[in-house]
Amino acid sequence: MESIVFDDVSFTYPMIEGDLDAEGKQIVPKPVFDHFSGSIPCAFTSLIGPNGSGKSTFMMLASGRLRPQNGKVTLFGQDVASLAEEKKNLLASVIYQNMEFESDEKVAGLLGYVYANGALKGNAKGIRGSKSLLDECESVFELEKVLDHPLTEISKGEIQRVLLAFSILYGSPAIFMDEPLFAMEDRQKHSSLEYIRDFCRETGTAVFISMHELELTRRYAPNVLLFYPNRDMDYGTPEEVMSDGSLEKAYGVPVSMLKNAEDLTREEIRQASLALSGKLKVES
């Protein structure tokens, strides 16, 4: 199976002049990856771990949207960052976190355009018996009621469902999704993930998706990449990776709190982490 391969990769975000800490000192970013090497298969994989642990940066490097300062990242054997923009998109499409749109184009027209101009060229059957993948995506992601609406006139949850449809209809062999379920109803999260899982299985598409809700990962993701604050990672099945001890080490809070971790404030997480400091030791 093809893999994402990180070969001696180092990456640090540039310093922002005037970005000061609480003491008024210039903040100098620390490396996100420092001579990191590793690989994971191209498959349906959920990326989990606390904010700031490197999940988004991992996906941006793997999809070629960021270029490392040292080393190389390959996807399906190709150095994606070195490709021209169109070839890059055809190989790896990305749903960015909290994407915004200013287009007044109607949803139906945009879906049709993405489908016709991506890798599928408007010619793919649905995996659930539909003659057209376009019709199937409109149904699965519950878009029928917004097809005649401009993107600027639909809700955040509806925009997220449109983005999921875009990613499937464009037809890239690898799709990177950074928190794509934001603002969606629970029922829609489940139906969307079930479809994406089945789509990956039927078509061989590789999907890498970051999610806060751990129960969704347990239920739908065949593979999990767990990020620790010190940049260590564990890869495997949910049963192998998501043990209570590993999750507490990664998130720094008792596992009983993680069900609602996405609702916790940073201060609540910090206090819980301090309470555990005598019990947990995160390697540096």
Side-chain angles (χ1 to χ4, degrees), residues 84-231:
E85 197 67 23
E86 184 177 358
K87 289 185 177 180
K88 185 185 300 182
N89 291 333
L90 287 170
L91 185 67
S93 53
V94 177
I95 295 179
Y96 297 95
Q97 193 174 128
N98 205 23
M99 291 178 74
E100 297 287 345
F101 295 92
E102 295 183 359
S103 173
D104 288 325
E105 291 289 326
K106 292 183 178 180
V107 170
L110 289 168
L111 289 171
Y113 179 85
V114 168
Y115 187 37
N117 290 275
L120 299 176
K121 301 304 178 188
N123 183 29
K125 292 182 179 179
I127 63 166
R128 294 180 175 174
S130 299
K131 289 184 179 180
S132 166
L133 182 62
L134 177 59
D135 293 339
E136 186 166 276
C137 283
E138 289 173 357
S139 174
V140 166
F141 299 116
E142 301 181 18
L143 299 176
E144 296 98 329
K145 293 182 179 179
V146 300
L147 291 176
D148 290 330
H149 293 221
L151 274 180
T152 51
E153 295 180 9
I154 63 177
S155 71
K156 185 60 181 175
E158 289 164 343
I159 287 176
Q160 294 305 113
R161 302 203 308 274
V162 169
L163 287 172
L164 290 175
F166 281 173
S167 68
I168 296 295
L169 292 171
Y170 194 70
S172 302
I175 305 170
F176 295 84
M177 303 180 173
D178 197 355
E179 301 294 347
L181 306 179
F182 173 71
M184 290 170 57
E185 298 176 13
D186 285 346
R187 171 183 56 78
Q188 294 165 341
K189 292 177 183 180
H190 284 277
S191 61
S192 296
L193 284 172
E194 181 181 29
Y195 182 77
I196 292 168
R197 179 197 62 195
D198 294 346
F199 186 82
C200 291
R201 187 182 298 147
E202 292 293 324
T203 65
T205 302
V207 169
F208 301 89
I209 179 171
S210 66
M211 297 188 285
H212 277 305
E213 296 167 77
L214 299 179
E215 290 310 309
L216 293 176
T217 290
R218 283 196 177 94
R219 183 165 179 175
Y220 295 106
N223 312 287
V224 180
L225 185 61
L226 172 60
F227 289 70
Y228 295 94
N230 66 347
R231 311 306 189 205

Side-chain angles (χ1 to χ4, degrees), residues 53-73:
S53 58
K55 303 186 298 296
S56 296
T57 306
F58 182 94
M59 288 195 287
M60 293 304 100
L61 287 166
S63 63
R65 271 52 179 189
L66 291 176
R67 184 184 293 273
Q69 283 100 16
N70 183 78
K72 185 167 70 171
V73 183

